[in-house]
Amino acid sequence: MQYGYFDDLKREYVITDPRTPWPWINYLGNEDFFSLISNTAGGYSFYKDAKFRRITRYRYNNVPMDSGGKYFYIRDEDTVWNPGWKPCKTTLDAYECRHGMGYTVIRGSKNGIEAEVLCFVPLKTQAEVQKLTLRNQSGTTKKLKLFSFVEWCLWNAATDMENFQRNFSTGEVEVDGSVIYHKTEYRERRNHYAYYSVNQPVDGYDTDRETFFGLYNGFDEPQTVMDGAPRNSVAHGWSPVASHCLEINLDPGESKELVFVLGYVENAQDEKWESRNIINKDKAKATIARFDTAGKVDEAFAGLRAYWDNLLSNFNVRTPEEKLDRMVNTWNQYQCMITFCFSRSASYFESGIGRGMGFRDSNQDLIGFVHQIPERARQRIIDIASTQFPDGACYHQYQPLTKKGNNEIGQGFNDDPLWLILGTTAYIKETGDFAILDEPVPFDNVPGSEVPLFGHLTVSFDHVVNNLGPHGLPLIGRADWNDCLNLNCFSSDPDESFQTTENKTEGSKAESLMIAGLFTVYGRDYAELCKRLGRDEEAARAQKHVDAMVDAVTKSGWDGEWFLRAYDYFGNKIGSRENEEGQIFIESNGWCSMAGIGLGEGLVEKALDSVKERLDCEHGIVLNQPAYTEYHIGYGEISSYPPGYKENAGIFCHNNPWIIIGETVLGRGDRAWEYFRKICPSYTEPISDLHKVEPYVYAQMIAGKDAFRPGEAKNSWLTGTAAWNFYAVSQYILGIRPAYDRLEIDPCISPEWKTYGVTRKFRGATYHITVNNPGGKMKGVSSVIVNGKPVEGNVVPVQPAGSVCEVEVIL
């Protein structure tokens, strides 16, 4: 069953039934002020950090789900309703939610009144703008009462849920005309406040939650709204809210536009006050003035649309598959930008409290957005590298507000350093900016410890070299990419975290074949980079270690039909036919296949055939098989999940692209395309009632074949699946791959595709690439013609900035 449809022309997903099987959300903002908004107007806002600068409150895991948001209550005589259906859930005559690129439009109709709310964060603005349009489509005059509503959060979203003996005594607001200011703790230690405004005089307001709702009422029946009478309450302590009341009369056919602004302000210490205990409102007033008419809002909205049109013009594809085109051209790239902004911190599955920006995550996310905003990718690389230690280890996460490492999680995930090589080389290949390697970057953000960024790549490489186990394979540390394979944990205490408990690595023989494959791939990238820089001696040293790793994998990492996953603390095999459960894993077979280890000897083909036979299912490739049915203390969290979920034989979509890329190494385009379609959201849209999460973005996990409900997805939006799927389809299936001094054209496609086209902007030039496949091939370029002239091999030289290049490719 479907709950909406794609509007490809407008780049929108249109939801036509508010009762989606899970809240279907969108993200507003692209720099520092962000909002999450669901199809029924649930969600919240924050500035930079969803933990320390939460602006509005949200209750995760609530009953009913998605309670709390930014609501408009419309009282029409005795009928009270909301444009987004919730929270009153009054039956609407019509409903529609349009999620677009950085904006959402929710439209509802009841008894002849249509209400349309446009929500977006304008460019370079620390505020969310809401334009509410009311239309009287009835034949009679309507006298309405409109109540806005947001609930302020007490800034630190963690203590907001814990320290009530303090929080219930700290709430402070100011009301100035049509603007409600939230200034809790501003007098003491904060330099920031929030505000909520409307662009016309109000007929009343409320700022105290208990007064607005009534002590025993919920979001669905606020007492003030039910009575049709604001109380003009001013919150002192307790829980502050912001609600405007406006009386609106509409003649038949008449419409009215109102503009609400929800914003955030920071003031310098000596500019905090207008007068004693009266906050300095200059910045707030300036922002409000920018959007005080509907015309100004429309102009800002047009700017946002143009911004996204430009971003999405850098890579555009035209294939025989409409569903592929809409994902690659719009939704996959859009999701990649969202993961750049948030890493794994704030979604409807991540509260924004417990996780910051991941070192591993952010480097991987970079390969999905570097072609759109390379200048911000450059800064992200420097931010990430600055959290590294001199020995190459690094914080697993860092806080977006301070950009400093997160001590609560710490370090010890031994795959983390290698991802910096991926992020940096991907950036240089896209931009040609080798100068980034000379940028001084500190260790652990300590002033005076700076070394050129290239030195960070060297210690990243050497962190593996200096941490090898008895088989010459990389020691796994706290974990590798799979945070739930905890081979040095041995946790029997349900009150401790698998990821933060003591890391018992001393004397451990726990080695990772996944890191071995990863090291082979990016060790080669590092060696090639050294050659480009004229560092031949370092290139030779690096290649020697990569060759030794390939030998170690071939000798000690092959299980006869597939690659082992790991060796445990005691040196026993994991991911082997010798195991009763967990005999084969996706990660090691993906990375060792991507590395081409044993390609000439048939190892890659055997491994990927085993993946097909043992791990593939209707909804994608599961992570391991057979699923674990009992807790293995030496394996950790992976065996704590029920079979078929998350890391225990779930379809972890993040790593399906590794197998897809591995299949392109073999040239099996038909199988790569089959795997791609199985987890691609636009292809799973018809089973939305089973899939549950949004049909326009990737999910982290789909329940595997051992699960109670195979095909049910979770953890949508903030997942490395977005970047890796874009990387796999754009660079390995469609085969348009940036390199240091050229574009490489190396498609691996379904033999049924006869032609397709790609427009690719690269270093200031525009390339119109047409790939023709008259012989029904899957891989292998027979000729490339650039601007009417044949070129050698399958490469297109970098063209002058500003030029347009026509490329014809024949398979």
Side-chain angles (χ1 to χ4, degrees):
M1 177 180 173
Q2 294 182 203
Y3 295 83
Y5 62 91
F6 287 95
D7 185 336
D8 293 330
L9 187 62
K10 293 184 177 179
R11 293 197 179 110
E12 295 174 339
Y13 191 83
V14 186
I15 301 168
T16 55
D17 184 346
R19 300 169 183 81
T20 50
W22 186 260
W24 288 359
I25 75 166
N26 195 14
Y27 285 83
L28 316 180
N30 58 29
E31 192 163 352
D32 50 23
F33 187 100
F34 301 104
S35 295
L36 284 68
I37 183 170
S38 75
N39 58 297
T40 57
Y44 60 94
S45 298
F46 62 93
Y47 174 76
K48 286 189 177 180
D49 190 316
K51 177 179 181 180
F52 291 110
R53 292 296 181 270
R54 186 78 62 101
I55 295 170
T56 60
R57 183 173 283 122
Y58 187 76
R59 298 160 178 81
Y60 281 87
N61 201 25
N62 205 357
V63 178
M65 180 62 189
D66 197 26
S67 292
K70 300 158 196 170
Y71 296 133
F72 292 102
Y73 296 89
I74 299 170
R75 182 180 174 86
D76 181 2
E77 295 182 349
D78 293 331
T79 301
V80 177
W81 59 282
N82 310 95
W85 182 60
K86 288 187 69 175
C88 291
K89 295 190 285 189
T90 305
T91 301
L92 300 177
D93 299 328
Y95 162 88
E96 181 181 86
C97 171
R98 289 180 169 264
H99 284 322
M101 306 291 101
Y103 69 90
T104 288
V105 180
I106 296 176
R107 183 183 299 120
S109 298
K110 184 68 178 177
N111 296 340
I113 294 294
E114 180 185 81
E116 177 184 290
V117 187
L118 164 66
C119 302
F120 70 104
V121 174
L123 299 174
K124 304 296 180 181
T125 302
Q126 293 174 7
E128 175 187 329
V129 172
Q130 305 158 349
K131 187 180 79 169
L132 171 63
T133 304
L134 295 169
R135 302 182 181 94
N136 185 357
Q137 299 173 329
S138 75
T140 61
T141 298
K142 290 282 189 176
K143 295 184 178 181
L144 309 174
K145 286 193 175 181
L146 173 72
F147 295 82
S148 66
F149 174 81
V150 299
E151 183 179 8
W152 303 117
C153 180
L154 295 171
W155 307 109
N156 184 325
T159 61
D160 178 54
M161 298 184 296
E162 299 168 352
N163 194 359
F164 302 112
Q165 63 85 22
R166 172 174 169 79
N167 293 344
F168 285 162
S169 298
T170 58
E172 287 189 273
V173 300
E174 281 185 30
V175 181
D176 185 1
S178 298
V179 189
I180 298 169
Y181 296 89
H182 179 217
K183 60 176 187 178
T184 296
E185 292 189 338
Y186 184 77
R187 179 172 52 83
E188 303 87 62
R189 297 177 295 169
R190 297 188 180 276
N191 67 346
H192 44 268
Y193 62 82
Y195 60 91
Y196 193 35
S197 71
V198 62
N199 66 333
Q200 78 166 47
V202 298
D203 297 291
Y205 58 86
D206 279 289
T207 69
D208 178 72
R209 188 179 73 187
E210 183 179 330
T211 302
F212 180 75
F213 282 119
L215 184 57
Y216 298 105
N217 293 16
F219 291 101
D220 57 337
E221 50 176 6
Q223 194 63 55
T224 298
V225 179
M226 296 298 111
D227 294 343
R231 305 295 199 270
N232 296 336
S233 61
V234 176
H236 293 284
W238 297 108
S239 297
V241 301
S243 175
H244 308 91
C245 176
L246 300 102
E247 297 179 5
I248 298 171
N249 296 333
L250 293 175
D251 291 330
E254 186 181 3
S255 64
K256 185 170 183 59
E257 294 177 314
L258 300 166
V259 179
F260 295 81
V261 178
L262 174 68
Y264 172 91
V265 164
E266 289 184 355
N267 284 327
Q269 184 65 30
D270 59 352
E271 298 176 351
K272 286 181 65 172
W273 303 103
E274 175 184 306
S275 59
R276 181 174 173 81
N277 290 331
I278 303 299
I279 61 177
N280 180 346
K281 304 178 179 67
D282 289 349
K283 290 181 180 178
K285 290 178 178 179
T287 300
I288 292 168
R290 287 174 55 200
F291 308 105
D292 59 5
T293 68
K296 292 180 180 179
V297 172
D298 292 343
E299 184 179 353
F301 183 52
L304 179 70
R305 297 289 294 267
Y307 172 83
W308 278 105
D309 287 345
N310 179 61
L311 282 186
L312 296 174
S313 69
N314 290 313
F315 192 101
N316 191 273
V317 65
R318 303 165 302 284
T319 74
E321 294 281 335
E322 178 186 59
K323 295 178 180 179
L324 171 67
D325 291 357
R326 71 167 51 112
M327 286 306 300
V328 172
N329 294 339
T330 300
W331 293 99
N332 195 175
Q333 293 191 70
Y334 180 52
Q335 187 179 2
C336 286
M337 282 292 293
I338 300 303
T339 60
F340 156 69
C341 291
F342 296 95
S343 189
R344 308 297 174 266
S345 63
S347 72
Y348 265 37
F349 295 90
E350 296 281 3
S351 68
I353 296 173
R355 299 181 68 177
M357 309 290 283
F359 190 99
R360 167 205 301 151
D361 299 329
S362 293
N363 274 296
Q364 291 177 89
D365 291 341
L366 192 139
I367 64 176
F369 73 83
V370 64
H371 67 290
Q372 294 178 307
I373 48 171
E375 67 285 352
R376 294 179 71 183
R378 191 184 204 272
Q379 186 60 50
R380 177 59 56 83
I381 290 168
I382 293 170
D383 291 345
I384 294 168
S386 298
T387 67
Q388 194 171 30
F389 294 99
D391 68 349
C394 41
Y395 284 106
H396 196 49
Q397 297 170 9
Y398 68 95
Q399 291 294 343
L401 193 66
T402 64
K403 297 184 179 180
K404 292 185 177 180
N406 186 349
N407 283 312
E408 294 179 7
I409 302 297
Q411 55 174 304
F413 298 78
N414 281 358
D415 65 305
D416 272 347
L418 288 172
W419 299 109
L420 184 62
I421 298 176
L422 163 65
T424 304
T425 56
Y427 167 78
I428 296 174
K429 289 175 183 177
E430 180 65 36
T431 64
D433 177 20
F434 286 89
I436 190 176
L437 297 171
D438 298 323
E439 287 286 337
V441 180
F443 290 109
D444 194 17
N445 280 290
V446 175
S449 66
E450 292 83 0
V451 300
L453 177 63
F454 181 82
H456 284 262
L457 302 188
T458 302
V459 297
S460 293
F461 180 88
D462 286 345
H463 189 268
V464 173
V465 174
N466 296 331
N467 289 277
L468 298 177
H471 297 95
L473 300 168
L475 292 170
I476 198 170
R478 188 174 290 280
D480 57 20
W481 172 87
N482 188 336
D483 285 333
C484 298
L485 187 61
N486 313 120
L487 304 184
N488 298 308
C489 176
F490 300 99
S491 176
S492 58
D493 183 354
D495 298 325
E496 65 186 10
S497 164
F498 286 99
Q499 270 74 63
T500 60
T501 189
E502 182 184 356
N503 188 15
K504 304 177 179 69
T505 56
E506 187 173 345
S508 172
K509 301 176 182 178
E511 299 166 290
S512 167
L513 268 298
M514 183 263 166
I515 299 180
L518 185 72
F519 177 80
T520 303
V521 172
Y522 296 124
R524 289 171 180 159
D525 266 7
Y526 174 71
E528 181 187 0
L529 180 63
C530 291
K531 289 179 182 178
R532 295 269 172 176
L533 298 172
R535 299 172 181 257
D536 294 339
E537 186 175 331
E538 176 65 1
R541 182 187 77 91
Q543 190 60 53
K544 179 181 177 181
H545 286 296
V546 171
D547 292 343
M549 187 65 69
V550 170
D551 288 342
V553 172
T554 305
K555 293 175 182 176
S556 304
W558 182 249
D559 200 52
E561 297 293 329
W562 56 82
F563 293 98
L564 294 172
R565 177 61 179 89
Y567 285 90
D568 70 11
Y569 182 94
F570 304 102
N572 301 313
K573 295 178 181 178
I574 297 176
S576 166
R577 64 179 66 254
E578 297 176 11
N579 304 125
E580 184 176 344
E581 297 177 333
Q583 295 178 342
I584 180 172
F585 283 71
I586 193 173
E587 304 102 306
S588 52
N589 287 287
W591 277 103
C592 291
S593 294
M594 288 167 67
I597 297 176
L599 180 64
E601 296 76 31
L603 270 59
V604 172
E605 184 175 8
K606 287 181 180 179
L608 294 181
D609 285 348
S610 295
V611 167
K612 179 66 175 174
E613 176 187 351
R614 292 171 173 262
L615 299 181
D616 187 33
C617 72
E618 176 186 0
H619 301 288
I621 309 169
V622 301
L623 189 140
N624 61 290
Q625 277 289 296
Y628 292 109
T629 59
E630 59 184 67
Y631 178 53
H632 296 258
I633 194 169
Y635 296 173
E637 188 173 358
I638 187 172
S639 60
S640 71
Y641 289 107
Y645 291 98
K646 288 279 283 178
E647 283 81 357
N648 187 16
I651 299 161
F652 218 91
C653 301
H654 186 144
N655 52 38
N656 274 228
W658 302 343
I659 299 298
I660 291 171
I661 295 171
E663 290 289 356
T664 69
V665 171
L666 287 178
R668 299 198 295 205
D670 52 353
R671 191 168 285 180
W673 176 235
E674 175 193 348
Y675 287 146
F676 178 85
R677 290 198 315 272
K678 284 185 177 181
I679 63 170
C680 182
S682 58
Y683 286 89
T684 62
E685 184 191 17
I687 59 167
S688 290
D689 51 342
L690 168 64
H691 200 67
K692 295 193 75 170
V693 298
E694 298 90 345
Y696 41 90
V697 292
Y698 284 97
Q700 177 208 68
M701 191 279 292
I702 300 172
K705 54 189 176 181
D706 301 289
F708 179 74
R709 291 190 68 196
E712 181 181 65
K714 296 177 183 176
N715 295 29
S716 58
W717 279 101
L718 301 186
T719 165
T721 309
W724 274 107
N725 269 281
F726 183 76
Y727 186 72
V729 70
S730 63
Q731 298 199 25
Y732 290 90
I733 293 179
L734 300 172
I736 313 301
R737 195 151 58 237
Y740 289 117
D741 55 3
R742 61 193 183 276
L743 273 180
E744 297 178 353
I745 314 295
D746 188 21
C748 188
I749 61 175
S750 165
E752 297 176 0
W753 289 13
K754 299 306 177 186
T755 186
Y756 67 91
V758 175
T759 297
R760 177 67 155 92
K761 293 181 179 178
F762 181 62
R763 300 188 192 176
T766 300
Y767 299 77
H768 296 300
I769 303 166
T770 301
V771 178
N772 293 310
N773 186 23
K777 304 293 184 181
M778 289 191 287
K779 190 177 177 73
V781 172
S782 64
S783 67
V784 176
I785 299 173
V786 179
N787 292 329
K789 298 180 180 179
V791 297
E792 191 85 18
N794 65 332
V795 301
V796 180
V798 175
Q799 302 297 302
S803 66
V804 177
C805 179
E806 300 293 333
V807 181
E808 183 180 357
V809 180
I810 306 294
L811 297 187

